Amino acid sequence: MVVNQGKVIAIRGSVVDVLFPDSLPKPHSLLIAGASNRLALEVMTYLSSEIVRTIALTPTQGLARGSTVNDTDRPLQVPVGEALLGRMFNVFGKTIDGQKQLTASQWRSLHAAPIPLCDRTTTTDIFLTGIKAIDILAPLEKGGKAGLFGGAGVGKTVLITELINNVVSRYEGVSIFCGIGERSREGEELYREMKDAGVLNNTVMVFGQMNESPGVRFRVGHAALTMAEYFRDELHKDVLLTIDNIFRFIQAGSEVSGLMGQLPSRVGYQPTLASELAELEERICNTTSGSITSIQAVYVPADDFTDPAAVHTFSHLSASIVLSRKRVSEGLYPAIDPLQSDSKMLSSQIVGDRHYKIAQAVRQTLANYEDLKDIIAMLGLEELAQSERQIVYRARRLERFLTQPFFTTEQFTGLEGKMVNLEDALDGCDRILNDEFSDRPEQSLYMIGSVGEIK
């Protein structure tokens, strides 16, 4: 077999220009170079009839002008199948969990077209998580995309691990965790936690870590999605795809774009931000045989929700769960902001009249309390009318009832984790709104599951 060979003519950081005098490689082809072919390059664009511009997926130390580059004549691929369960992979499909390498029989390209609209299901089902604040105020869609928005240190990763724990124990599906630009420490901790929780056997983990090249961080999301699509299409399973953090995917795209010499767009982001994000997001959907439900952590730079990365991500989501630093400071965990969090599923046609009315009443009560906070700060609670004081008492009890002890934080809180079914959560909110617990201290509703646990 004749290998198409080229020569390196320029290296700028992670960008390598290669001359192919005979024939150009295909778009997205994987090229290998360096001693013992350890360096991987992906074709990104064509500069002329003989020169391609590539992005390095491995460090470029040791590569020099004139180095020989071989075209593999195939795109980047990852293994697929049930053998992946319980293992941790990198973007090349190699295991990184310290155990023996996997010998998978099937490999698939990272690049695939989204499922055509005619092959998708048009029915809408609710994806229950067992977390009160989410199931009542921002219910997730089965086969939809939900975003966890928040700045640094407000609990995105903790909430994602709890969702994985709850979903694997409730649904007989597969969970795929994709770490984009995560710290190596977090990946190692998550692996151990999932092993201890007994959910690792139904989980595949894929990491493109913070210390790796932007090309790896840019492609690792596609690698996880390729594995998820196989479970959905070939094995007909429901898949939970958790991505932590989708902002790092956008950031990696921005780095690649800058290295490629493209002119930046607004706030310094890549001009192709919208299309790159859509390329990834539109592959996540429901089919008649299975579904991929995605929960994505979204870091919000400087807590600014008008940042282009946050705005473009919002447009793809069916539910937005916003985490609030203010609630963290008040010790209300999970720190979900009930007024900013929202879901397209929260309509009476989908969730039913009772759920819709209770959710709206909870939101209205908390919004009224928010309006009264300035008056309370200036004049004190005593200056409010009796009806307004009732709103404050109800709102404070609702805030505490919407907290919940997590299974994944038992070692820190000393509280046993709770999973609450939707009916119990709605019943609790309804009874608080009807002042059933006005004679109980508000602290008795803090960090409990259903209202039956009130001491």
Side-chain angles (χ1 to χ4, degrees):
M1 182 181 156
V2 180
V3 177
N4 186 19
Q5 286 195 330
K7 283 206 168 6
V8 173
I9 57 169
I11 306 168
R12 286 180 301 282
S14 293
V15 171
V16 181
D17 292 348
V18 186
L19 173 73
F20 281 93
D22 299 329
S23 67
L24 286 172
K26 294 172 190 158
H28 302 306
S29 278
L30 181 66
L31 312 180
I32 49 176
S36 57
N37 291 330
R38 277 204 310 257
L39 296 174
L41 311 168
E42 186 183 4
V43 175
M44 296 299 281
T45 186
Y46 299 104
L47 297 183
S48 73
S49 59
E50 291 186 335
I51 300 171
V52 293
R53 180 158 282 176
T54 69
I55 194 86
L57 301 172
T58 49
T60 52
Q61 284 95 329
L63 198 64
R65 287 177 66 184
S67 295
T68 303
V69 178
N70 295 324
D71 177 16
T72 62
D73 199 31
R74 62 170 177 82
L76 199 56
Q77 294 179 325
V78 286
V80 291
E82 288 193 313
L84 275 60
L85 294 170
R87 304 301 300 271
M88 190 195 280
F89 297 88
N90 64 13
V91 75
F92 300 105
K94 291 181 179 167
T95 54
I96 52 171
D97 51 12
Q99 298 174 43
K100 67 174 184 178
Q101 283 297 329
L102 186 78
T103 51
S105 56
Q106 282 188 286
W107 290 68
R108 275 193 177 184
S109 163
L110 261 61
H111 305 280
I115 295 282
L117 286 175
C118 57
D119 294 337
R120 301 188 186 196
T121 53
T122 52
T123 54
T124 302
D125 291 320
I126 297 299
F127 190 83
L128 295 171
T129 64
I131 297 170
K132 291 180 285 192
I134 294 176
D135 288 347
I136 294 172
L137 298 169
L140 308 187
E141 179 188 6
K142 192 174 179 185
K145 297 174 274 280
L148 290 178
F149 290 83
V154 292
K156 295 187 296 298
T157 305
V158 171
L159 192 50
I160 272 193
T161 35
E162 185 69 8
L163 284 162
I164 291 171
N165 177 76
N166 289 8
V167 166
V168 169
S169 54
R170 171 172 290 203
Y171 296 93
E172 290 181 10
V174 170
S175 173
I176 294 182
F177 179 88
C178 176
I180 304 178
E182 285 302 286
R183 299 164 189 84
S184 307
R185 166 185 64 77
E186 290 177 338
E188 190 268 337
E189 282 173 4
L190 186 65
Y191 181 78
R192 274 191 291 109
E193 280 169 17
M194 291 174 88
K195 202 170 185 177
D196 294 343
V199 298
L200 191 62
N201 290 338
N202 280 327
T203 306
V204 182
M205 302 176 84
V206 192
F207 282 95
Q209 293 161 151
M210 199 176 259
N211 61 322
E212 296 188 76
S213 72
V216 166
R217 287 180 273 125
F218 187 56
R219 286 290 176 230
V220 73
H222 297 94
L225 200 44
T226 302
M227 294 173 180
E229 284 171 338
Y230 183 85
F231 281 111
R232 177 194 65 192
D233 301 336
E234 306 300 326
L235 303 178
H236 309 307
K237 289 184 180 287
D238 290 329
V239 183
L240 174 71
L241 173 64
T242 44
I243 301 175
D244 190 5
N245 186 307
I246 203 75
F247 173 77
R248 306 276 178 223
F249 166 76
I250 293 168
Q251 200 174 39
S254 179
E255 287 176 52
V256 168
S257 172
L259 290 166
M260 300 290 287
Q262 294 176 349
L263 282 172
S265 180
R266 197 158 68 91
V267 199
Y269 286 106
Q270 63 271 42
T272 50
L273 167 59
S275 56
E276 285 172 2
L277 188 61
E279 207 175 87
L280 183 78
E281 298 281 11
E282 288 308 305
R283 286 169 66 182
I284 300 168
C285 65
N286 257 353
T287 66
T288 47
S289 59
S291 67
I292 300 176
T293 303
S294 177
I295 296 168
Q296 307 168 7
V298 187
Y299 168 69
V300 181
D303 291 346
D304 176 17
F305 283 89
T306 63
D307 187 90
V311 169
H312 280 286
T313 307
F314 261 122
S315 64
H316 290 279
L317 305 175
S318 54
S320 306
I321 299 157
V322 179
L323 299 177
S324 147
R325 199 172 300 282
K326 188 161 167 283
R327 292 177 80 78
V328 170
S329 66
E330 291 170 4
L332 301 172
Y333 295 103
I336 294 167
D337 188 322
L339 300 178
Q340 281 191 285
S341 301
D342 197 20
S343 169
K344 290 173 185 168
M345 299 300 101
L346 196 60
S347 71
S348 52
Q349 292 94 330
I350 296 169
V351 296
D353 271 345
R354 179 169 183 261
H355 183 164
Y356 178 72
K357 283 174 181 168
I358 290 172
Q360 291 303 95
V362 167
R363 202 166 268 163
Q364 186 64 54
T365 305
L366 294 170
N368 290 344
Y369 175 42
E370 201 61 39
D371 292 341
L372 293 168
K373 276 183 179 175
D374 288 342
I375 299 170
I376 295 167
M378 286 187 290
L379 304 174
L381 189 63
E382 300 74 30
E383 295 301 312
L384 296 178
Q386 183 60 35
S387 60
E388 289 172 335
R389 261 184 272 178
Q390 285 298 110
I391 289 169
V392 172
Y393 296 145
R394 266 181 227 138
R396 289 182 63 83
R397 280 168 174 74
L398 282 169
E399 280 184 338
R400 275 139 194 81
F401 178 63
L402 291 174
T403 62
Q404 191 167 336
F406 281 177
F407 292 98
T408 50
T409 57
E410 282 178 9
Q411 62 197 35
F412 307 114
T413 60
L415 299 168
E416 187 193 341
K418 295 282 192 314
M419 206 165 152
V420 185
N421 70 51
L422 179 61
E423 207 44 54
D424 287 346
L426 289 172
D427 184 51
C429 287
D430 196 25
R431 290 170 70 182
I432 291 167
L433 289 165
N434 290 320
D435 294 331
E436 265 193 53
F437 304 105
S438 54
D439 57 332
R440 306 286 174 91
E442 58 192 38
Q443 205 58 25
S444 64
L445 291 152
Y446 181 67
M447 284 293 173
I448 61 167
S450 63
V451 285
E453 295 171 31
I454 295 176
K455 300 267 191 312

